[in-house]
Amino acid sequence: MMRIAVIGQSVFGLEVYKELRKEGHTIVGVFTIPDKDGKADPLGAEAEKDGVNVFKFPRWRLKGKGIPEVVQVYKATGAELNVMPFCSQFIPMEVIDHPAHGSIIYHPSLLPRHRGASAINWTLIHGDKKGGFTVFWADDGLDTGPILLQRECDVEPDDTVNTIYKRFLFPEGVKGTVDAVRLIAAGNAPKIVQPEEGATYEGIQKKDNAKIDWNQSAQVLHNWIRGNDKVPGAWAEVDGQKVTFYGSSLLDSGATAIGQPLEIPGASQPGLVSKAGLMLFGNDGKALLVKNLQFEDGKMIAAARYFSSGSCASVELTEEEKAFAEQMRGVWKSILTNVDAIEDSTDFFKSGAASMDVVRLVEEVKLRASGCQLQNEDVYMNTTFQDFIQMCVRKLRGEDDEEELVVDYVEKNINNMTIRMPHQLFINGEFVDAEGGKTYKTINPTDGTAICDVSLAQASDVDRAVAAAKEAFEEGEWGKINPRDRGRLLYKLADLMEEHQEELATIESMDSGAVYTLALKTHVGMSIQTFRYFAGWCDKIQGCTIPINQARPNRNLTFTKKEPIGVCAIVIPWNYPLMMLAWKTAACLAAGNTVVLKPAQVTPLTAMKFAELAARAGFPKGVINILPGSGALVGQRLSDHPDVRKLGFTGSTEIGKHIMKSCAVSNVKKVSLELGGKSPLIIFSDCDMDKAVRMGLSAVFFNKGENCIAAGRLFVEENIHDQYVKRVVEEVKKMKIGDPLDRSTDHGPQNHKAHLDKLVEYCQTGVREGATLVCGGKQVSRPGFFFEPTIFTDVQDHMFIAIEESFGPVMILSKFKSGDVDEVLRRANATEYGLASGVFTRDISKALYVSEKLNAGTVFVNTYNKTDVAAPFGGFKQSGFGKDLALGSV
């Protein structure tokens, strides 16, 4: 062990000192800087506690020569080695050369590159791909001494002086300095002469020479800003005052922004103040984003608040909050010891606080108010005592300067209530008009009248929504909150949906024609269940560890980690507008993704109401975006968009194929598809006839037949066929067709006029081909889009209606020979679809055999239409791939 003199300062010097003591070395003296404003340097303060001699000389040299009294005090310590972990003073050579083992010093660059006092700054300013530190044998202060040890790291694209220092230069630098001492103690320390090739020497970065020259590329501007972040701070003239820029990141080529222009003298084009920050442009047209700005008076703000930085009204404090404020006044006084009294106008930094005081202040707040989770940046942005207390109180109240949601409602008195419906696009947490103010009318299928005008999204609106979703995922609060907090937001959203359940069901019934009681139970009820189910999964999404062969003598740990993919686009159909939204959106959000959703153009209203409830639940801006509009424009743009990483689609097989192709060509985005179906239902003669009739009707006519898993074809064993037909016809004739808001209605209108017309044509085709139309087959003679429940018998396998899906209230019945199980299975599987299927029989062996042989994603046995949030849902063949619901969809 050696006798060591530690010459230096700061927390870095403190950590090196502590580690050297742990190693068993004797610290014969600590030489550090004098106290500042009555505060001791951390290194000196710790050494004094340990009883080590501490010396605080203002200087060591005078006119280039050592001060004899100072040098004599140093020599009296009898040091065998000088360790200079972070030293801002010039040390005379007679001190450096005095110990038997000489002197070593830590330098935060890979020498000989970036000699000088601002090495970290210049590593970033020059855009070096590699950074690191050197421990070298001390020289006369020019950083040219022989190298003892070097360690390097990658420089991340958005590293600042602070981030690279905290991530590598500080922790590894402490270890490296101690390792260097070990080498010296063992007699193995090298002395490698520094090469002159590649050597650079840059001066100290000061505020005066940190002004930004805008006539450079975005990359160079980014490097300059981050290389001066936080000290001394890159600055420029903006609106007649000196503004300093912090938190720069380089944006991808083609990045789009929504924001307010900000003129910057000398810049190639105006900046843009957006929700994410201040977007700046280089002379190459590429962009960077700055998060924070600081004004000449020391006030720091989020760049996104540039145009509203002075608009925040003060909040009136409660008695409890006043008590908290007085506690914090005492904390400020204990930190700012040179200040007589803490006034509301007292500025934390102008009164002498430093970066370590910021850390202490944040921790003091946590001790007194656990609900107020501060970041260091909050202190820098609220430097006066009054601003600081106002900020803390807003956080405690959960307000935190969030803007109030503004909604332009369409109100209607209907179903014994007043419903309030948003009708604009929802982008980045705001309801906004489409580009050019374009709108269309959404129609009530009950009477064919217009409900209201709805904003019609354009391609530029899609780009804005995707940009907002990307910002929220990569830069926003959503990407930082922990999974359990995500779950709380989903639970809160489900609670709000439940509070508005009757309103949502009324909107759904009015916009889609769903019978109100069904909308209440299934359309809305299952949507609420879905969000609650996935809320519970948020903190249970896990990877796994994998045992692998070890490369002896090393031991390896291999594990998988499930991570969110990014921006997810969702395109949903019109048959279950809210439920299809819930099935796909809940899983995306639970996994931590952001969403851009296109509801069906004919049924947008519950999606818009959902957007309002999501905002009120507290989802951060940009996480959920809703774009009513056409599939050909909005759906296509989402399929093609390079920043969308996954697309989920429910709809026709034809459109699904087109989407899949677009997703592949654009950026090979992931796709999940739930497409068409022609689900077979096989009814054997040994079935429970009452149940088979009841469930068979439900299988076909549930939700007016607008049901993706509807039984598109029923195969009935010939010895019960006629009886079965007689029974279902009797029940169909009992169905009440009428206003879906009438609680006694069984069968409401079809969703929209074009679909009604297709059903009429579908049935006409069936009759032309020779199928027997037992009942129905035509439009009901009344206003609206009502279609009679229809039954066809004698349907042969080659007929159009036996092959194609009606997606309406049409029962297609065919016989099969008694006992011929394999033949009916062949006929049932003779389709390109495979979404669902069913079998009715009392024979469990037969049920298991048939369910195994049916080629479908879901097989119902002695039931139908039973879906649950915990059961996966998806199809085979041209019914698509990927699963909704259950854990597999997260």
Side-chain angles (χ1 to χ4, degrees):
M1 296 296 105
M2 292 184 291
R3 293 169 58 83
I4 296 175
V6 177
I7 305 173
Q9 64 203 66
S10 80
V11 177
F12 186 89
L14 165 63
E15 291 301 316
V16 170
Y17 159 82
K18 287 162 63 176
E19 291 301 315
L20 291 175
R21 279 173 57 86
K22 288 180 185 177
E23 293 275 311
H25 299 292
T26 300
I27 309 300
V28 295
V30 167
F31 296 84
T32 189
I33 58 175
D35 295 354
K36 183 179 179 182
D37 297 325
K39 291 182 181 180
D41 181 81
L43 169 58
E46 183 73 13
E48 286 175 340
K49 288 180 186 177
D50 295 334
V52 174
N53 290 324
V54 176
F55 307 93
K56 302 178 181 180
F57 299 128
R59 61 179 62 188
W60 290 71
R61 298 191 316 186
L62 191 61
K63 296 182 179 180
K65 295 183 179 180
I67 300 171
E69 298 85 353
V70 174
V71 173
Q72 190 59 41
V73 170
Y74 160 76
K75 287 183 177 180
T77 63
E80 298 173 311
L81 174 70
N82 292 333
V83 176
M84 296 189 283
F86 182 86
C87 183
S88 62
Q89 296 176 309
F90 286 101
I91 310 301
M93 287 304 296
E94 57 193 300
V95 171
I96 287 172
D97 293 337
H98 178 75
H101 295 292
S103 303
I104 61 170
I105 188 166
Y106 165 89
H107 185 80
S109 79
L110 297 173
L111 292 175
R113 191 161 173 79
H114 306 308
R115 294 166 176 163
S118 297
I120 310 176
N121 303 79
W122 289 104
T123 297
L124 299 175
I125 290 170
H126 282 278
D128 293 359
K129 301 300 182 184
K130 294 288 183 180
F133 63 86
T134 304
V135 178
F136 69 99
W137 298 96
D139 59 358
D140 58 0
L142 297 177
D143 303 332
T144 56
I147 294 170
L148 191 162
L149 175 151
Q150 280 188 330
R151 287 178 185 161
E152 70 174 33
C153 68
D154 292 329
V155 178
E156 300 295 333
D158 294 334
D159 261 334
T160 64
V161 174
N162 194 41
T163 60
I164 193 172
Y165 184 70
K166 285 186 175 180
R167 185 181 77 250
F168 185 83
L169 297 177
F170 181 99
E172 295 303 319
V174 170
K175 294 177 187 175
T177 304
V178 175
D179 287 345
V181 173
R182 288 196 191 109
L183 291 171
I184 294 170
N188 299 324
K191 290 187 177 181
I192 304 168
V193 176
Q194 290 191 34
E196 283 307 308
E197 184 180 351
T200 62
Y201 185 92
E202 295 95 358
I204 297 175
Q205 269 304 92
K206 296 181 179 179
K207 197 72 175 180
D208 290 345
N209 59 13
K211 185 176 182 180
I212 300 170
D213 175 8
W214 294 108
N215 189 28
Q216 301 180 92
S217 69
Q219 179 70 66
V220 173
L221 292 175
H222 168 62
N223 288 340
W224 183 260
I225 293 171
R226 69 186 182 123
N228 286 282
D229 184 348
K230 290 202 176 328
V231 178
W235 61 276
E237 295 278 347
V238 181
D239 286 339
Q241 61 176 320
K242 186 183 288 185
V243 176
T244 306
F245 299 77
Y246 297 107
S248 174
S249 57
L250 202 63
L251 297 177
D252 295 335
S253 298
T256 57
I258 314 157
Q260 189 171 347
L262 175 63
E263 291 293 336
I264 299 176
S268 59
Q269 58 181 294
L272 279 176
V273 177
S274 71
K275 303 292 183 183
L278 172 60
M279 183 181 280
L280 302 167
F281 298 90
N283 60 11
D284 57 354
K286 296 181 180 179
L288 57 143
L289 187 75
V290 168
K291 302 295 287 186
N292 299 317
L293 303 173
Q294 188 173 36
F295 300 105
E296 290 180 273
D297 63 1
K299 174 74 172 179
M300 183 180 281
I301 65 166
R305 294 182 56 79
Y306 182 84
F307 290 111
S308 58
S309 58
S311 62
C312 187
S314 296
V315 296
E316 189 74 24
L317 304 189
T318 65
E319 291 303 316
E320 185 178 354
E321 290 163 350
K322 288 177 182 177
F324 167 74
E326 289 309 305
Q327 289 180 37
M328 294 314 303
R329 198 182 299 272
V331 171
W332 276 50
K333 184 67 181 73
S334 69
I335 295 173
L336 307 174
T337 54
N338 60 322
V339 176
D340 293 332
I342 304 300
E343 307 291 343
D344 285 351
S345 59
T346 300
D347 188 285
F348 194 62
F349 297 103
K350 291 180 180 178
S351 300
S355 58
M356 281 302 297
D357 299 315
V358 173
V359 176
R360 177 186 165 186
L361 183 57
V362 168
E363 293 304 314
E364 293 277 10
V365 171
K366 289 179 183 176
L367 287 173
R368 289 162 176 77
S370 59
C372 185
Q373 297 296 312
L374 298 191
Q375 304 296 323
N376 291 358
E377 296 295 334
D378 293 321
V379 181
Y380 287 109
M381 293 182 188
N382 298 275
T383 59
T384 68
F385 183 73
Q386 182 178 33
D387 288 347
F388 176 79
I389 291 299
Q390 290 279 313
M391 176 269 297
C392 290
V393 168
R394 285 193 173 92
K395 284 184 177 288
L396 284 167
R397 293 181 181 182
E399 298 171 2
D400 202 17
D401 279 353
E402 286 296 325
E403 300 172 16
E404 183 179 351
L405 182 68
V406 177
V407 187
D408 180 23
Y409 291 110
V410 172
E411 294 190 0
K412 288 189 179 290
N413 294 311
I414 188 172
N415 201 23
N416 299 316
M417 68 180 78
T418 299
I419 59 171
R420 306 172 76 206
M421 299 175 291
H423 61 100
Q424 297 167 289
L425 313 182
F426 187 72
I427 299 175
N428 206 29
E430 297 177 340
F431 284 103
V432 295
D433 289 335
E435 182 192 13
K438 293 187 177 180
T439 64
Y440 71 99
K441 296 185 184 301
T442 186
I443 304 300
N444 185 340
T446 302
D447 57 13
T449 61
I451 300 171
C452 64
D453 288 334
V454 177
S455 292
L456 182 67
Q458 304 300 299
S460 60
D461 298 315
V462 178
D463 292 342
R464 290 165 60 210
V466 173
K470 186 180 180 185
E471 285 179 1
F473 180 76
E474 295 181 352
E475 306 290 341
E477 176 190 354
W478 184 246
K480 298 179 179 68
I481 66 173
N482 65 58
R484 200 160 295 168
D485 289 336
R486 278 206 309 270
R488 289 193 187 100
L489 282 174
L490 287 170
Y491 278 124
K492 187 173 181 181
L493 174 56
D495 290 344
L496 280 173
M497 292 172 69
E498 191 166 56
E499 288 177 25
H500 291 262
Q501 188 165 359
E502 289 80 7
E503 183 181 20
L504 285 166
T506 301
I507 296 171
E508 188 95 331
S509 183
M510 181 173 59
D511 202 25
S512 75
V515 171
Y516 175 76
T517 50
L518 178 65
L520 196 64
K521 177 182 180 294
T522 301
H523 289 232
V524 180
M526 192 173 186
S527 300
I528 295 167
Q529 291 175 27
T530 302
F531 278 100
R532 287 196 173 129
Y533 174 81
F534 283 107
W537 273 115
C538 288
D539 60 355
K540 301 174 186 67
I541 302 170
Q542 302 173 4
C544 64
T545 57
I546 304 171
I548 64 171
N549 289 339
Q550 305 297 339
R552 293 191 178 96
N554 296 325
R555 295 186 62 80
N556 305 103
L557 172 65
T558 303
F559 63 91
T560 61
K561 181 183 177 184
K562 294 186 177 181
E563 296 184 342
I565 194 170
V567 180
C568 294
I570 298 173
V571 180
I572 57 173
W574 42 258
N575 56 327
Y576 293 103
L578 186 63
M579 194 170 78
M580 292 296 99
L581 176 154
W583 281 23
K584 296 188 183 297
T585 303
C588 287
L589 297 175
N593 299 294
T594 56
V595 168
V596 180
L597 180 139
K598 189 199 88 66
Q601 186 171 354
V602 291
T603 53
L605 296 180
T606 43
M608 308 318 300
K609 188 68 180 179
F610 168 83
E612 178 199 343
L613 298 180
R616 300 200 186 284
F619 277 83
K621 293 181 178 182
V623 175
I624 296 170
N625 304 272
I626 310 289
L627 301 176
S630 75
L633 197 157
V634 177
Q636 185 63 56
R637 180 59 184 146
L638 288 171
S639 301
D640 293 337
H641 204 292
D643 289 333
V644 172
R645 295 300 171 190
K646 179 172 182 178
L647 189 146
F649 171 74
T650 297
S652 73
T653 298
E654 179 185 3
I655 300 300
K657 290 177 179 178
H658 182 78
I659 285 175
M660 191 173 175
K661 181 179 179 180
S662 297
C663 289
V665 170
S666 58
N667 61 342
V668 200
K669 58 175 64 70
K670 289 176 175 284
V671 188
S672 59
L673 304 173
E674 194 245 283
L675 307 175
K678 187 67 174 176
S679 302
L681 174 57
I682 303 173
I683 300 173
F684 288 99
S685 59
D686 61 353
C687 69
D688 177 333
M689 178 62 78
D690 290 340
K691 190 173 188 180
V693 169
R694 185 174 69 254
M695 299 306 297
L697 290 165
S698 173
V700 175
F701 299 113
F702 189 82
N703 198 48
K704 311 162 291 173
E706 295 168 353
N707 186 19
C708 50
I709 58 172
R713 192 173 180 195
L714 278 68
F715 296 92
V716 183
E717 201 160 4
E718 62 182 0
N719 55 339
I720 63 164
H721 175 270
D722 293 347
Q723 178 190 1
Y724 187 84
V725 171
K726 180 175 180 294
R727 292 280 302 274
V728 294
V729 170
E730 289 172 354
E731 295 301 320
V732 163
K733 289 181 177 179
K734 296 176 186 176
M735 287 184 182
K736 179 181 177 181
I737 302 172
D739 184 349
L741 294 175
D742 185 333
R743 300 326 190 248
S744 64
T745 293
D746 298 307
H747 191 82
Q750 304 308 136
N751 188 275
H752 53 279
K753 181 66 163 61
H755 181 53
L756 173 67
D757 293 342
K758 285 182 180 179
L759 287 174
V760 171
E761 183 180 351
Y762 183 90
C763 291
Q764 289 172 347
T765 301
V767 171
R768 280 198 307 271
E769 289 189 335
T772 300
L773 178 62
V774 179
C775 63
K778 59 182 183 295
Q779 182 177 355
V780 178
S781 181
R782 57 172 293 167
F785 310 140
F786 292 87
F787 189 78
E788 294 178 343
T790 300
I791 297 176
F792 276 102
T793 61
D794 302 320
V795 178
Q796 305 304 311
D797 294 352
H798 67 275
M799 293 181 177
F800 176 83
I801 62 174
I803 299 169
E804 297 299 327
E805 180 182 27
S806 70
F807 212 66
V810 182
M811 181 178 279
I812 307 295
L813 286 156
S814 299
K815 297 178 184 178
F816 69 93
K817 292 180 180 179
S818 296
D820 200 343
V821 177
D822 289 328
E823 175 61 15
V824 73
L825 280 169
R826 183 194 64 75
R827 295 172 67 192
N829 286 327
T831 172
E832 274 300 300
Y833 301 111
L835 189 57
S837 60
V839 56
F840 279 82
T841 176
R842 286 191 172 97
D843 185 336
I844 187 64
S845 296
K846 187 190 297 180
L848 290 173
Y849 178 79
V850 170
S851 61
E852 181 182 334
K853 296 296 183 181
L854 283 169
N855 297 327
T858 299
V859 180
F860 297 106
V861 179
N862 293 328
T863 188
Y864 210 90
N865 280 330
K866 175 56 184 171
T867 54
D868 188 272
V869 293
F873 182 92
F876 291 174
K877 298 186 283 190
Q878 292 196 44
S879 287
F881 53 84
K883 299 294 181 184
D884 287 326
L885 306 177
L887 177 59
S889 63
V890 178

